[in-house]
Amino acid sequence: MNLSQCRPAISTCVIGIGNLRRGDDGAGIVVIRRLMARPIPNTRFVEAGDDCLALIDVWQGADFVILVDAVCSGVEPGTIYRINPRSQTLPAVFSPTSTHCFSLAETIELARILDRLPPRLLVFGIEGEDFGLGQTMSTRINLAVDEVTREIADEVAPAQTTLTLPPGWHDRTDVRCWV
Amino acid sequence: MNKNRTIKVDYLARVEGEGALHVRIKNNKVTEVKLKIFEPPRFFEAFLRGRHFTEAPDITARICGICPVAYQMSSVHAMETACGVTVDGPLRALRRLIYCGEWIESHVLHVFAHRAPDFLGYPSALEMAKKHGDLVRQALQLKKVGNEIVTVLGGREIHPINVRVGGFYKVPSKSDLRPLVEKLKWSRDAAIESVRAVGKLEFPDFEQDYEFVALRHPNEYPFNEGRLVSNKGLDIAVREFDDHFVEEHVPYSSALHSTRKARGNYFVGPQARYSLNFSKLAPVAQQTAREAGLGPVCRNPFQSIVVRAVETLQACDEALRIIEQYEPPDAPSVQVHPQAGVGYGCTEAPRGILYHRYRLDDRGMIINAKIVPPTAQNQKTIENDLRHFIPDRLSLSDEKLKWQCEQAIRNYDPCISCSAHFLKLDIQRE
């Protein structure tokens, strides 16, 4: 059996978006780091900054993509949004706070137009409270981050094929960071 | 049409950063044009005081997520001149290579995401993609190659972390660069197609007698070094910048306005570089530019989209040449020992000349710093363009006039984040 035959058919990419130096904006990144604490086979973890346009290439080839980002919509801090963008347009809360980068919502719409959406896509939004420079994450957001981490782990684990891997073969977990 | 009217656009889209434009029209005459940059001051020059000279490339790179390489390059050159060091050979070539990557990233984003929708009549790149999917797919692929160059040399595509005073922390092997060759050959062909495509767009008939300012090097299209020249008689060494240019504060902008002493506004950026250095472009870039209808000098700012496409081609061709000739250096950097003095650096950021000046003490601590970004230098020229552009278009409805003014500003691909250290558009007709 060669390695390519070992690889399960399903590949998953979990992408956290945010900036750890902007308080609750780092929520997506923290989710990624908590998920990485235990190996999840055949899953790729990515930490992303605010230029979401690059994500179209990052998720290329993945069958299941999960995106996590902090949002600022005015609802109770810690509120969790869970959206399947294949069946609905991402709401305005995922639109840009910047005029010079593609937002997550724009990137998903561009991917939809260019037929580059992954077969399965799930977006988690975590309502932030404090996006101040140099601030640490708020306590209430911390709890929401735990909850999203659990939900993603539940989503990802059943998606994996059970395999007996050859000696020396380690599950692949890539991390790219341009925060 | 009312001779006195007020037109207001709150945020000008598809430019880098936050700002506004205020235009007052009285009795069908433009009486006031203010490019208002309200992005808060960034204080980077103050942050740099008391920091070690080796920290400047990484601190200043944070000024901009679009052109961090430019900040790194201007700062390392300034520090090296202060310390009496010259970096040449493969390290110099690698600096040009990483700059090629940044030009490709920045220019492709501007041409296809920011500017092409204007010419093709779409409100956004998303709407344009519905009808021109292949164009956008190609642009994304082209931009990705720029990202990959910056990643290979800089460690990551935004805010690279591998540039240091004296060279790099780690240099690539030939095999690290090899995978880029085929991608760059594709990119060069795609860039030629891009120039041809944007060359066919229709441009307003609008030319001005600009003073173009750019670097000029005897043998190369400028990235990292050369003399500062203009088409109006300027020909100075970089260290003489402060003798010829002055920055002034205007109450409505958090970005300082630059002027050439005793002359006034001037124009930096791709169009200035191109018009002052056409003969230094690669033959393929010169030929493709001519086929697209550009002469050796381009005075129509609306054609800057074509010039940026030509410079993308130039960057792809130059990157390919550098990689094919690359032999790794003996060491990833040369030693730089601090000494008291003043260092000057000026390199060609995607949007034009970026000037850095640092005074160091004998331990290499920064006593003071001065940074003059391209958009700050172009502010007065943007305002001047609008003063001449609007009068012929006063019969347009407010909405159409606003849209055309936005386009006239986007010609400059202004990076407000850098200059403030954008864009709200407010036109008053009285």
Side-chain angles (χ1 to χ4, degrees), chain A residues 21 51 53-54 56-57 60 97-102 105-106 109-110 113-116 176-179, chain B residues 12 14-18 62 66 109 113 125-126 129-130 133 136-137 140 143-144 156-158 417 422:
Chain A
R21 296 176 185 85
D51 183 9
L53 191 57
I56 296 178
D57 285 320
Q60 189 171 9
T97 52
S98 159
T99 53
H100 66 279
C101 290
F102 272 66
E106 287 171 320
E109 286 315 301
L110 184 63
I113 292 164
L114 300 178
D115 197 22
R116 291 184 65 177
R176 297 172 60 200
C177 176
W178 61 92
V179 174
Chain B
L12 215 143
R14 306 205 298 279
V15 298
E16 326 291 349
E18 315 291 332
R62 288 285 170 172
I66 305 291
L109 188 68
L126 279 181
K130 290 177 184 172
V136 175
R137 279 187 201 93
L140 288 175
K143 183 175 182 296
K144 189 181 170 195
R156 59 189 185 188
E157 58 233 55
I158 297 176
S417 306
F422 169 34

Side-chain angles (χ1 to χ4, degrees), chain B residues 270-290:
Chain B
Q271 215 172 317
R273 273 194 299 264
Y274 173 94
S275 298
L276 294 167
N277 294 281
F278 180 80
S279 64
K280 299 296 184 297
L281 283 167
V284 66
Q286 288 190 34
Q287 184 187 337
T288 312
R290 288 190 189 279

Side-chain angles (χ1 to χ4, degrees), chain B residues 98 219 236 270 338 345:
Chain B
I98 193 170
N219 308 316
I236 59 169

